[in-house]
Amino acid sequence: MAATNYLFALAIACLLLVSLPGLSCCDDHNVDDPRRGRDLAEECKPSGTLRPTTSHSCEDCCKAGQSYPTYLCSPPTSSSTKAVMTLNDFEAGGDGGDPSECDDKFHNNTENVVALSTGWYAKGRRCNKNIQINANGKSVLAKVVDECDSLQGCDREHAFQPPCRPNVVDASKAVWDALNITGDDVGEYDITWSDA
Ligand SMILES: *[C@@H]1O[C@H](CO)[C@@H](O)[C@H](O)[C@H]1NC(C)=O
Ligand SMILES: *[C@@H]1O[C@H](CO)[C@@H](O)[C@H](O)[C@H]1NC(C)=O
């Protein structure tokens, strides 16, 4: 009887502990990052914040007063690095902003080209090299031509877009087509990539 009472009390105590809001077990330090990626790696913490003073009305553009985290790092790479693939326009006048960082040229969106987050861009170390992208049961080679700047943004040079998340492969339409990702899925897609 005493043992049963003891177990009952223990069960009640456990229930109370679990339901107390302040005692949440989960680390939600990224909860304030409005643009956090689905696979934002724990290893890579923001290096700073951008807080623009002017808003721009274009879609996804920076808003005044909002704070945008910046990243010097990207998650560590492996033979199968997780990333979020986004769609970039590499042509003149597109939302990609200035010419590509590697060659100071615009690129045809029919070419398999990508921009990588600042950490993975690695000061140009991957410029003009191919990476292999795996997604949707397919793989494609794409040439690194640009940096998806994780440190700067919200200015004309970056088409008033917020700084890039640290884990982005920003790819041309050709890459999306080669991976046969179409329709509503075009925009943001979980992929893996490796140096080719
Ligand atoms: C892009 O490439 C396609 C075929 O590869 C070509 O027809 C088109 O003119 C090119 N566009 C530009 C802006 O170079
Ligand atoms: C592309 O995906 C569609 C389904 O979304 C599928 O029916 C089609 O066979 C795929 N094409 C190739 C070349 O894999």
Side-chain angles (χ1 to χ4, degrees):
M1 192 58 184
T4 318
N5 281 342
Y6 175 71
L7 282 176
F8 183 68
L10 199 65
I12 295 289
C14 284
L15 274 174
L16 278 173
L17 264 180
V18 166
S19 56
L20 279 176
L23 288 172
S24 160
C25 60
C26 305
D27 178 8
D28 43 21
H29 66 273
N30 277 325
V31 88
D32 291 325
D33 177 355
R35 307 180 65 249
R36 67 190 185 278
R38 274 163 280 179
D39 287 308
L40 196 62
E42 292 298 317
E43 295 90 342
C44 182
K45 298 268 172 13
S47 54
T49 313
L50 272 188
R51 202 181 287 272
T53 51
T54 49
S55 288
H56 292 274
S57 56
C58 43
E59 199 186 343
D60 299 330
C61 280
C62 293
K63 303 278 177 287
Q66 170 101 43
S67 94
Y68 300 94
T70 58
Y71 295 88
L72 195 54
C73 55
S74 288
T77 57
S78 68
S79 59
S80 181
T81 307
K82 285 183 179 181
V84 175
M85 186 167 74
T86 52
L87 178 66
N88 191 31
D89 184 350
F90 289 87
E91 296 183 3
D95 67 5
D98 274 2
S100 293
E101 199 75 21
C102 291
D103 55 10
D104 202 31
K105 290 193 171 105
F106 290 104
H107 289 268
N108 199 321
N109 290 323
T110 59
E111 290 177 55
N112 291 348
V113 288
V114 295
L116 298 178
S117 298
T118 293
W120 288 339
Y121 180 74
K123 299 192 167 88
R125 189 164 55 78
R126 289 194 167 88
C127 270
N128 303 312
K129 294 188 173 145
N130 281 334
I131 62 166
Q132 180 177 322
I133 300 171
N134 301 301
N136 198 27
K138 298 196 176 308
S139 82
V140 62
L141 292 179
K143 189 167 78 169
V144 177
V145 296
D146 206 356
E147 174 179 13
C148 192
D149 201 328
S150 313
L151 281 174
Q152 302 171 77
C154 303
D155 55 7
R156 181 167 302 280
E157 188 187 341
H158 300 92
F160 305 110
Q161 299 289 307
C164 207
R165 282 162 292 173
N167 58 340
V168 167
V169 172
D170 200 16
S172 66
K173 185 64 169 52
V175 171
W176 288 79
D177 288 345
L179 294 167
N180 195 24
I181 305 169
T182 55
D184 292 342
D185 288 333
V186 178
E188 206 160 287
Y189 203 91
D190 288 336
I191 62 154
T192 61
W193 69 275
S194 59
D195 290 305

